[in-house]
Amino acid sequence: MRSGAHGGRLVVLYVVVTSLMLTLLGRLWYLQVTTGPAYARAATESRVRTVPLPSVRGQILDVHGHPLVANQTMPQVSVDYMALIHQPDGGRAVLTRLAEALRKPYQEIADRARLCSREVPRPCWPGSPYQPITVADDVDPRTVVRIAERQAEFPGVSTALRPVRTYPLHKAGAHLLGYLQPPSPSDRSGGPDLVGRDGLEAEYDTELAGRTGLREVAVDSTGKVTGLLREEAPHPGDTLVTSIDARIQELSERALAKAVTNARKRGEPADSGAAVVLEAATGRVTALASYPSYDPAVWSGGISQRDFEALPLVSNAVLGQWAPGSTWKVTSTAAAADAGYKLRASYDCPGSYKVGGRSFRNFDGIALGRMNMHRALVVSCDTIFYRFAERMWKHDGGLKPVRHPADPMQSMARKFGFGNRTGIDLPNESPGRVPDRAWKKANWERTRADSCRRAKTGYPDVADRKRAAYLKALAAENCQNGGVWWAGDAANFAIGQGDVLVTPLQLARAYAALANGGTVFSPRVAKALVRPDGSVVRTVTPPVTGRVDVSRRTLRYIRDALADVPREGTAAAAFKGFPFKRLAVAGKTGTAEAYGRQDTSWFASFAPAKKPRYVVVVVVSQGGTGASTAAPAARDIWEGIYDLHGKAHHKHAKKHGKKTTAGKHRHGHSRKAPRDASHNASHRASFEPARVGDAR
C-alpha cells in the first residue's frame, strides 16, 4: 500500500518534469525558429548608424547675379563625439591638446563639442552625435597640417576643407536671407548637416541643400564605430536667383538706420523699423530691410546662449505689426467713393468732430476749412473721415446693427489685402488685423473674465499710478460693454487707429495695388532656381490673389492726390528741394498713436507718379510723426534707387571692380534730366533706376 502511493507520486513528478521540458523546448523553438529572424534583424539594425554627407549648398543671388549668400572653402577642424566619449577620460586630454594647437581656450572647444539639451546652453552641438562636430572654422592651413600629421595625438579629430556660408552684404538683408543650423537629434531623415532656420534659407531649404549623401557605419553595443558598410555621394544644391537688388537693399538699410539715429537725436525712442521696396506692376520684392539687424556671420562660429537670446531675429518687415495711421486713408477714401460719396464734392474739415458724445480731433486740433477729397488726402484731414465712418456705422444700424452689415470700410480694406497674410515666400509672416463687430465680440468673450477681475483688483503691478487708474477704468468698461462696436471704433478705423494692425509688407502690397490699377499680388522674393549646370529648374512668378474692386477713375484720383503730398502736403518739408521734374514721387504720411508709447512713423509711396514702377514703405516704431522720420528715409531710398545725386554708379562699380564713365547711364545717356521726363519718351532712361554693375 505504501509502495503504491510512492509510485503514484513518481508518476506525477515525471509528468510535471516532462511538461516543463516540453514547454521549455517549445519556447526555444519559438524564439529561434519563429521569431529568430526578427530578433536577428533588430540586432543588426541596432548596430548600424547612418551619417549624412553634406552636399555643397546652392548660392543665393540678387537680380543682377551678385551673391547675397555664397560659399567659401575654409579649413575646418571637427571631432567625432562618439570616439571622444569612448576614451578613458571622455576625450578631455585630446581636447586639451587640440585647444593648444588651435591657440584657443580649452572651454571654448569643449563647449562646442558637447551635445545640446535643456540643461546645456549654447554654445553646443544641436545635431546628431554621429555627425562630425565642427569646433573651429577658418583654421590656419599650417595648423591643419600639423594636426593631420600628428593624428596619433588627436584620435577622433579630423581636418577638412569645407564650404562655409559667407554674406557679402553683412548686416544688410540678414532677416531676409536667414541662417543655417544643424538639424535636431530627433531628425532621423538622413538630411544635410545644416538646415535653413529662417528667411530664404528655410523657405527654399530643400532646393538649396541639394541631395545629401550618406554613409552607413557599423557600431558595437557601446556605440563605437567598427566599420564602413555603405556610402553614397552627395549632389550639390540649386542656386536661388532673387528679385532683390543688392544695391537697393543696402541703401534701404542705411536709410532706415539713419532715420532711427536722427529720431533718437530728437529724443524719440525709435526702437525698431522696416523698409520695403516692391515692383508695383509685378509684386516682386526689390528690398526688404529690418531694424535692428545683425551680421549673419555670427552663425559660422560658436555663439553663447546669452548672445543668441540677444540677437534681433524678428523680421519687422513681415512680422512687425503696427497701426498704420493716415497711410490707411487710401482704403477709406476708396470705401467712401464706393459707398456713393463724391470725391470732388466740398466737405468741411473742422478741428474736431463729435462721435458718440466724444470729440475726435484733427492732428493738433487744427481746423482746415472746406475741401474736396484730393485736398483732404494732401493735408491729411481726419475729421472728414470721422464723419464718413459715423454715417456708414449708422447706415448699418449703429448699436442695433442690421442682420448683415455692409461694413464698407472693412470690406474695402480686405480688398486691398489687409487682414490676411500676403503669402510671401518667407516663413513666419504675421496676418495683421481688420477689426469689425464680429472680431470685437469674439475678443471680448476671450478677455471678459480677465477684464472683470481687473475692474475689481486694478493694476497694483503698474508703477505709473495714472496709467494704472486708466487701465482699471478701461477694464471696467470692457467688462460690461467690451463687445460692442461703437461709433468711436468706426471713427478710429477710418484713420488707421484703434485695433487696426498692418505689417509693412501688407501696406506695401496695398500701395502696389493702388499704383498698378487694382491688382493685388502675393509678393515673391525668388525669381528662379537654377541647377549647377546652368539649366533652369523653375521660375517663380508672384501670383495674383485679388482685385481692388473700385473704378479706375477712383484709383487715379487717389494717386493724383498722393502726388501732391510730397510737393505741398504733409511730406513737403521732408521733400524740400527734391527734383520732382526728374522723379515724381507720390506718397502718404502716417502718424499712429499708441497708448503708453510714442507715435509710430509711417510713409508709404510710389514712383514715378504717372506710371509707377516701385513702391517704397518705411516705418519706424516710436519714431514720431511720419513727416519727421519715415518720410526723410523714404526720400533717401528714392534718391538712391534712381541715383539722383549721381553717386551710386561709381561706388557700386568700384566695389565690384568695374570701370566707370563719369556722368553716364549704362545705356549711355547723360544724367542730366529732361525738363519733364515723365512726358518725354526719348528720355526714358532718366526714369530707370541706377542698375550699375548689371551682370545679366
Side-chain angles (χ1 to χ4, degrees):
M1 190 74 177
R2 186 177 297 174
S3 62
H6 180 70
R9 285 195 294 271
L10 287 175
V11 170
V12 172
L13 180 61
Y14 289 149
V15 171
V16 171
V17 171
T18 302
S19 298
L20 290 173
M21 291 296 293
L22 289 174
T23 301
L24 179 60
L25 290 172
R27 183 61 179 169
L28 288 172
W29 180 86
Y30 174 78
L31 292 173
Q32 293 183 2
V33 178
T34 304
T35 62
Y39 281 108
R41 185 167 58 254
T44 301
E45 289 174 352
S46 67
R47 293 199 302 268
V48 176
R49 295 292 183 268
T50 300
V51 180
L53 299 177
S55 60
V56 177
R57 197 170 178 89
Q59 296 186 91
I60 302 177
L61 308 178
D62 87 337
V63 70
H64 305 304
H66 300 140
L68 301 173
V69 181
N71 297 313
Q72 182 178 346
T73 302
M74 294 182 178
Q76 292 185 335
V77 175
S78 303
V79 298
D80 183 333
Y81 178 82
M82 298 306 297
L84 290 179
I85 65 171
H86 282 91
Q87 294 174 18
D89 63 350
R92 183 178 182 86
V94 172
L95 293 181
T96 299
R97 289 193 293 271
L98 182 59
E100 291 174 354
L102 296 172
R103 297 181 181 178
K104 292 180 179 292
Y106 164 81
Q107 199 59 49
E108 178 182 335
I109 301 300
D111 286 350
R112 295 185 68 175
R114 62 185 179 172
L115 300 181
C116 291
S117 68
R118 290 184 178 179
E119 294 75 28
V120 178
R122 297 169 187 266
C124 55
W125 175 252
S128 166
Y130 291 96
Q131 291 177 269
I133 302 176
T134 301
V135 295
D137 302 287
D138 196 16
V139 182
D140 180 76
R142 289 175 294 183
T143 302
V144 170
V145 171
R146 284 197 299 270
I147 293 173
E149 289 176 342
R150 297 155 54 193
Q151 194 61 46
E153 299 179 31
F154 300 101
V157 178
S158 61
T159 60
L161 291 173
R162 289 191 177 184
V164 175
R165 282 312 226 192
T166 61
Y167 304 88
L169 301 188
H170 304 291
K171 285 188 176 183
H175 300 93
L176 167 71
L177 300 171
Y179 59 94
L180 304 177
Q181 282 199 326
S184 65
S186 61
D187 182 9
R188 302 185 183 278
S189 62
D193 64 339
L194 294 172
V195 295
R197 291 299 191 199
D198 198 7
L200 294 173
E201 293 277 27
E203 191 73 15
Y204 293 95
D205 183 57
T206 301
E207 295 88 342
L208 290 167
R211 196 174 75 196
T212 304
L214 63 87
R215 177 184 295 139
E216 289 185 348
V217 295
V219 298
D220 60 19
S221 59
T222 66
K224 185 177 181 180
V225 176
T226 60
L228 175 65
L229 301 178
R230 185 167 69 96
E231 184 169 304
E232 291 182 7
H235 291 268
D238 299 329
T239 292
L240 176 63
V241 180
T242 71
S243 56
I244 297 297
D245 187 313
R247 186 183 65 84
I248 297 176
Q249 178 70 36
E250 287 183 298
L251 70 89
S252 297
E253 303 264 4
R254 288 195 301 271
L256 182 59
K258 176 183 172 183
V260 168
T261 299
N262 289 341
R264 289 176 178 174
K265 288 179 179 178
R266 295 193 304 269
E268 307 287 358
D271 51 4
S272 61
V276 180
V277 183
L278 295 184
E279 292 181 2
T282 67
R284 295 194 184 279
V285 180
T286 301
L288 206 65
S290 180
Y291 183 93
S293 188
Y294 68 96
D295 191 339
V298 68
W299 300 111
S300 63
I303 181 172
S304 70
Q305 187 70 26
R306 183 176 181 179
D307 290 342
F308 172 76
E309 292 172 356
L311 287 177
L313 297 178
V314 173
S315 171
N316 289 313
V318 297
L319 272 167
Q321 300 182 106
W322 295 274
S326 292
T327 61
W328 185 257
K329 288 175 182 174
V330 297
T331 70
S332 298
T333 301
D338 201 43
Y341 293 93
K342 303 298 183 183
L343 298 181
R344 290 176 172 80
S346 178
Y347 301 96
D348 187 30
C349 179
S352 66
Y353 181 78
K354 188 165 287 189
V355 179
R358 174 187 165 193
S359 291
F360 285 72
R361 303 196 310 158
N362 264 340
F363 186 75
D364 284 342
I366 300 173
L368 299 172
R370 298 194 66 82
M371 62 187 67
N372 58 19
M373 291 308 298
H374 180 111
R375 186 65 181 169
L377 288 170
V378 172
V379 299
S380 203
C381 172
D382 290 339
T383 49
I384 289 176
F385 290 93
Y386 295 147
R387 184 183 292 109
F388 286 162
E390 183 192 35
R391 290 179 179 178
M392 292 178 188
W393 176 78
K394 288 181 177 178
H395 188 267
D396 279 335
L399 294 176
K400 296 180 179 180
V402 297
R403 186 170 184 180
H404 298 291
D407 287 335
M409 290 195 174
Q410 283 87 349
S411 176
M412 184 59 66
R414 294 188 181 99
K415 289 177 182 178
F416 273 91
F418 293 110
N420 290 297
R421 293 176 176 86
T422 68
I424 190 174
D425 50 345
L426 290 172
N428 306 320
E429 183 184 8
S430 294
R433 185 166 64 213
V434 175
D436 56 14
R437 289 175 173 84
W439 173 85
K440 192 172 184 187
K441 184 177 181 181
N443 186 63
W444 174 62
E445 289 173 348
R446 285 194 302 269
T447 61
R448 184 181 182 184
D450 183 65
S451 295
C452 292
R453 180 177 62 84
R454 287 292 192 175
K456 294 179 180 179
T457 64
Y459 289 79
D461 50 322
V462 176
D464 185 341
R465 303 320 303 160
K466 184 177 180 181
R467 175 171 171 77
Y470 169 82
L471 292 175
K472 184 178 181 180
L474 184 63
E477 181 181 340
N478 286 336
C479 175
Q480 297 299 319
N481 301 304
V484 177
W485 185 257
W486 301 97
D489 293 318
N492 274 327
F493 185 94
I495 63 164
Q497 291 280 181
D499 294 307
V500 181
L501 290 176
V502 305
T503 69
L505 181 64
Q506 286 177 325
L507 192 63
R509 175 173 72 160
Y511 270 69
L514 171 65
N516 67 34
T519 302
V520 180
F521 288 99
S522 177
R524 290 293 181 270
V525 179
K527 286 196 75 173
L529 285 154
V530 181
R531 296 185 183 92
D533 63 7
S535 59
V536 177
V537 179
R538 65 183 172 98
T539 57
V540 180
T541 303
V544 175
T545 58
R547 290 281 309 173
V548 179
D549 188 20
V550 297
S551 70
R552 289 184 173 273
R553 180 180 298 179
T554 296
L555 295 179
R556 186 167 57 249
Y557 185 94
I558 297 172
R559 290 196 300 269
D560 289 345
L562 266 54
D564 283 340
V565 172
R567 292 173 181 265
E568 58 187 66
T570 55
F575 280 81
K576 184 178 181 180
F578 188 84
F580 289 109
K581 289 186 177 181
R582 293 184 62 188
L583 181 67
V585 174
K588 186 75 189 75
T589 55
T591 305
E593 298 177 357
Y595 187 85
R597 294 171 62 84
Q598 298 300 311
D599 294 342
T600 303
S601 176
W602 287 95
F603 191 72
S605 56
F606 52 85
K610 293 296 183 182
K611 192 175 181 181
R613 180 170 183 179
Y614 290 108
V615 169
V616 172
V617 167
V618 177
V619 61
V620 177
S621 174
Q622 300 198 91
T625 66
S628 63
T629 302
R635 172 179 177 159
D636 288 344
I637 294 172
W638 283 118
E639 289 177 344
I641 290 176
Y642 286 88
D643 195 20
L644 298 181
H645 296 300
K647 297 177 180 179
H649 184 73
H650 298 284
K651 288 178 66 176
H652 201 73
K654 183 178 181 181
K655 181 176 179 180
H656 292 276
K658 310 276 185 183
K659 291 184 178 180
T660 65
T661 302
K664 297 289 184 180
H665 273 298
R666 62 187 175 98
H667 298 295
H669 296 289
S670 169
R671 288 192 182 278
K672 185 177 180 181
R675 180 173 298 176
D676 189 356
S678 63
H679 294 87
N680 193 330
S682 66
H683 291 281
R684 187 171 296 170
S686 296
F687 269 78
E688 292 292 316
R691 294 186 177 277
V692 291
D694 198 330
R696 292 179 298 174

